[in-house]
Structure formats: structure tokens, C-alpha cells
Amino acid sequence: MRRHGLAVDGGRTRGAEEVRLLTASGLAAAAIDLGREPEEMGGMPKSAGRSGASHPMTVNEMVIALIRPKPDLDLVVGEPAEAVAAAQAAVDAPDGIGTLTSYATEVALPVKGIWKNPAIGSARADVVVTAPGDGVALLFIEVDNCTEEGVLIAAKFDRYARFFQRKEKDTDGIEKPIWRTRWSAPAWEGYERVHPPVLLVFHQVGKRSAKKQMARVADLTRPHWQGRWHSECGFHSYDGCIPVVATTLELLREHGPAGPVFWRFGRKERQPLLDAIGNPRREAALARSRQAAREELLRGKTRPQSRHNAMAREHRPTKVPLPPRCLPDPRHPVITIR
């Protein structure tokens, strides 16, 4: 593969195992075998040689921990009891998120320029996950081996914010965030504009404490993720914010994405991944509002009324009432995507 320009040396792991990295040509060749588009394959890790392959190997382990592949029990028949028990435990464990094709690595996020030729200063996600069938429409992931300074990790979110705010006309002639021209995601509701979530996964390899790294990055990125509490509604509004979640590779390996090991910056308790990247309190409040609206509609139907009023009510859309203070701050204009 090296002779044909499909791979290059990528350093060695801590166990002295050699690592090979696919070049652009190698990624294109792999895309054919996997039945994927070339742009879905991501790019080659740029720091692998300098870091002794530790960063790309951590990315690989993190992807496996999220997918939680299930072993074939037929293949461990006759193996030692410990191996069979471990395989059975993996089968019985909660499912992971997506499959290998749901993950793309080293994805450029251009703040200027184009996807294939991003401008200097653009973000580059370690991993991008698209697994809508498992509740994750779009998730960006950054991995740190506890070797990078917190201020440098925090600076990545300035670039993420610029990328999320960049707009471009789509093929339908409508201007929308550039990320929506590449990936599908639920439409914004009329009163909240939340950017895609970013997951930070720390691996305790370097000398820096993973716990302190999380706290430091959370403090430095507060302007990007901090929501506004609405006591009348009982939930935070994250209009214009980036949901930022953090965990460690060790906890992710042990508990998987369904375990309560993900810390959403700004919250006190750890949660499963889907709860951490979402807003369960807000969803519960909206569900109560919808139920109240339905009950009010049913009560109106049971009251005596003229035929004209009955027809008008039948064609009146059901609204979800929310207290005025639950709406976005007027200083943060809402952008409606049609």
C-alpha cells in the first residue's frame, strides 16, 4: 500500500505496534470498498507521527466504545468459560450508537473556503457521528489524551462557533447554516436555535488530570454553552448555544453511551449521552403544554356551539402555549429555517 501511495507510516503505539495511515488516495480506495462517498471518509490524522500514534489510537478506541459491537456467540463455543461469559455480557449490554459507517474522522469544518479546501483557522473535528436511528442526528467529537493545554482546547470552540454561524445558500436558494447543507438534522423550533452538540472525550495518558481538564475547558467556554434558566417553565433555553458534553474514555468503555457518565457543561449530575446532549426538562415542559392544548381543544369541542364556530375551530391549528419569558432573549434573534 505504501508503494502505491495508499498509506504512510503513522508512528507506533505505546505497545510498540506499528500504525499505518491512509492517504487521500487510500481513503478514496477504502470508500469504494465501503460503499461510501469520498467526503464521508474524513481525512488523515495530521499529528499521528508527532504523537506516536497515541491520538488516532485513542480515537479508534473511543469509536469502538460508542458503537459497542456485539460478538458472535457461535464463535466462542468451546472457548474458556471466562471468554464465553465476557462475550455474553457484551451481548446483553445496552446497544451502542451507530455502526462503523456512522463515523467519519478528521472532518474539516470551514469557517471560510470550501469543504475540500477550508481556510486557515477552520475547525477540524476528530470525529463526526451521524446516527439518527439511534437518536444522534449529528454529533461532533474532540479527543484529548490529557496532553493539550485547556486554553488550546477551548480555542477550538471559537472556531466551532464561527463554523456554526456561517451561512450559505442551499440548492433550494434558501440561506441556511452551512452545516445544514451537508448533514440532516431536526428543524429548529420557532423559539430556539441550538447548534449541534460537541462531545469531549479525555483519555488519562498525559500528565494533566482529566477532571481538571474538564473543569478548565468548561470555565473557558462558558460563553458558548451557558443557557438561560426560565423558572416559569422549569427548563433552560439554549438559544444560540453549543451543547458541550464531556466524559473519559475509561468511563465510556465501562458503561457505554447509555451509562450516566456524561457531564453536560452547566449541569450538576452525570447523564446518559442522549439526555446530556438534549434538553429533557424542556421536552417534558413542551409535552405538558401540548397535552394541555389538546385537552382545551377537546373541552371546546364538547361545548354547545354554532355550526359556523365548530367549522372554524376544526381548522384552527393547535398551538403550544409557553410563558413569554420562555421565549428567546430579544438580544439573540431567532433564525427560522424553512
Side-chain angles (χ1 to χ4, degrees):
M1 292 179 69
R2 284 182 294 176
R3 184 170 62 253
H4 293 285
L6 300 179
V8 295
D9 291 335
R12 292 176 178 271
T13 67
R14 288 185 297 168
E17 297 173 313
E18 294 185 2
V19 176
R20 299 285 184 266
L21 303 177
L22 294 178
T23 62
S25 298
L27 288 169
I32 296 174
D33 288 339
L34 294 174
R36 303 176 70 182
E37 296 297 326
E39 58 268 19
E40 296 176 349
M41 297 298 293
M44 183 175 68
K46 293 186 176 180
S47 61
R50 296 193 302 273
S51 62
S54 62
H55 185 269
M57 291 302 295
T58 299
V59 170
N60 291 343
E61 294 177 37
M62 182 272 301
V63 169
I64 294 172
L66 279 172
I67 295 176
R68 310 284 280 188
K70 304 292 186 181
D72 186 345
L73 294 180
D74 291 338
L75 298 180
V76 295
V77 173
E79 296 295 327
E82 296 81 0
V84 175
Q88 185 64 58
V91 170
D92 296 337
D95 292 336
I97 292 176
T99 63
L100 194 58
T101 57
S102 305
Y103 296 75
T105 59
E106 294 293 322
V107 179
L109 311 176
V111 297
K112 287 185 179 181
I114 60 177
W115 293 104
K116 291 184 178 181
N117 188 23
I120 295 175
S122 295
R124 181 177 290 272
D126 287 334
V127 179
V128 176
V129 185
T130 51
D134 293 322
V136 179
L138 181 61
L139 175 66
F140 297 89
I141 304 179
E142 294 291 333
V143 174
D144 176 52
N145 280 330
C146 295
T147 56
E148 197 166 21
E149 292 184 14
V151 67
L152 296 179
I153 300 174
K156 296 180 181 179
F157 286 88
D158 296 332
R159 296 193 289 272
Y160 267 102
R162 292 178 61 198
F163 169 72
F164 289 147
Q165 291 164 6
R166 181 182 175 183
K167 300 181 185 65
E168 187 176 271
K169 281 190 176 181
D170 205 349
T171 53
D172 56 7
I174 298 175
E175 188 178 64
K176 60 188 66 173
I178 187 173
W179 62 268
R180 285 187 178 272
T181 68
R182 179 169 181 175
W183 294 290
S184 298
W188 283 327
E189 299 195 46
Y191 44 82
E192 190 163 63
R193 171 182 56 106
V194 181
H195 298 308
V198 179
L199 169 63
L200 292 169
V201 179
F202 293 94
H203 185 24
Q204 194 64 67
V205 174
K207 297 180 180 180
R208 291 181 171 87
S209 162
K211 184 176 180 180
K212 291 182 179 179
Q213 285 282 79
M214 291 183 196
R216 176 65 170 156
V217 175
D219 183 58
L220 292 171
T221 59
R222 186 177 299 276
H224 292 306
W225 56 258
Q226 188 168 42
R228 292 173 292 281
W229 173 252
H230 297 295
S231 57
E232 298 88 347
C233 314
F235 61 81
H236 279 87
S237 170
Y238 295 102
D239 181 62
C241 298
I242 303 174
V244 184
V245 180
T247 189
T248 66
L249 179 59
E250 290 73 19
L251 289 173
L252 181 57
R253 282 173 176 159
E254 183 178 357
H255 300 281
V261 297
F262 298 88
W263 176 39
R264 169 77 172 263
F265 287 179
R267 297 179 185 173
K268 294 181 180 180
E269 71 281 358
R270 269 41 174 192
Q271 300 172 291
L273 181 60
L274 296 186
D275 289 341
I277 63 176
N279 194 347
R281 288 180 176 174
R282 175 177 171 274
E283 294 304 318
L286 291 179
R288 291 192 296 269
S289 296
R290 295 187 184 102
Q291 181 61 29
R294 285 193 292 267
E295 292 175 356
E296 177 62 25
L297 181 61
L298 290 175
R299 284 195 295 269
K301 286 183 177 181
T302 58
R303 298 191 190 106
Q305 54 188 316
S306 66
R307 184 172 182 274
H308 174 75
N309 288 338
M311 293 178 62
R313 186 178 294 275
E314 286 291 336
H315 292 84
R316 187 181 303 163
T318 301
K319 296 182 179 180
V320 180
L322 283 176
R325 294 186 182 180
C326 296
L327 300 178
D329 189 315
R331 293 171 295 178
H332 300 271
V334 173
I335 300 174
T336 302
I337 303 300
R338 304 175 190 172

